[in-house]
Amino acid sequence: MPELARELGIVLPAYAKAKLVDPDASQVTPLERRADAVVALEDANGDVVALLVIEVQLAVDDEKQFTWPLYLASVHARHRCRALLVVVTPFEAVAEWAARASATFQPPSAFRPIVLGPAEIPRIDDAEAAIASPELALLSAFVHGPKPDGDPVVRAAFQGVRSLESPLAGMYADLALVVLGEVARPFMEAVMAYPPGYQPMSDWAKKHYGEGLEKGLAQGSIGAARRAVLIAAEARGLELSATARARVEACADVATLEEWLRRVASATSESDVWPAD
């Protein structure tokens, strides 16, 4: 995320590329600690020069003053390079809490995560703006996507990610699935696919990658399938009538929704999806 880092004033060492790595922060003893995501920044030789440990925080949790240093220490010891904790939250009160230094970790040194909340990250819900700055749009989705009105932000983020070259597009899409979980899945299914040869990191992607859209939707809810049809239609630029939208919302059969989604993929008008009787 070099451009995003510069925009936010985060100073990073020189590197050639970024990739997702295993976010497992387990200890030697059988106590597992797992961050939401870990992004490794590599130089031109493929050596990791820095790690971004990403945590999405939706509520105040005082236990994190003990587990966050553990996450960072674990990946720091494993990769033996600079490590930064980045906390992303959609709530200002949580951002203020997260920015406080740990009172018990190596005093008098202050352990303070980098906190990105709604005050620092703009809401990007426009495809054109997301394509102009895909990384900032992705971070906007992390912050604003979990909110009740967050669907347009997540949709725009995937449209921005889709504009990137492979394998960066796959890496960022996977990062969105890791961080946002079920919030992101319908948009991923409708807007883009992983590039050939990409090895996904998220649990959902590992399960469904290469299995095709039909099986992926069959595992999901009716609501997710309905949303996928409508999102795909919007991504194709189809202007659906109120009747067509009502038809999608009323459908409770996954197989039917899958068929409509396949038609939307090549449709140029609403009639291509729902021919006149």
Side-chain angles (χ1 to χ4, degrees), residues 148-171:
D149 61 348
D151 279 5
V153 180
V154 180
R155 182 187 300 112
F158 273 104
Q159 290 170 324
V161 167
R162 185 178 59 178
S163 69
L164 296 170
E165 295 182 359
S166 302
L168 192 59
M171 190 270 281

Side-chain angles (χ1 to χ4, degrees), residues 8 13-14 16 61 86 101-102 107 121 131 137 142 153 164 175 200 205 210 228 230 270:
L8 298 173
D61 181 0
V86 181
S102 171
I121 306 302
I131 292 171
F142 294 168
V153 180
L164 296 170
L175 181 60
L230 296 175
E270 180 180 310

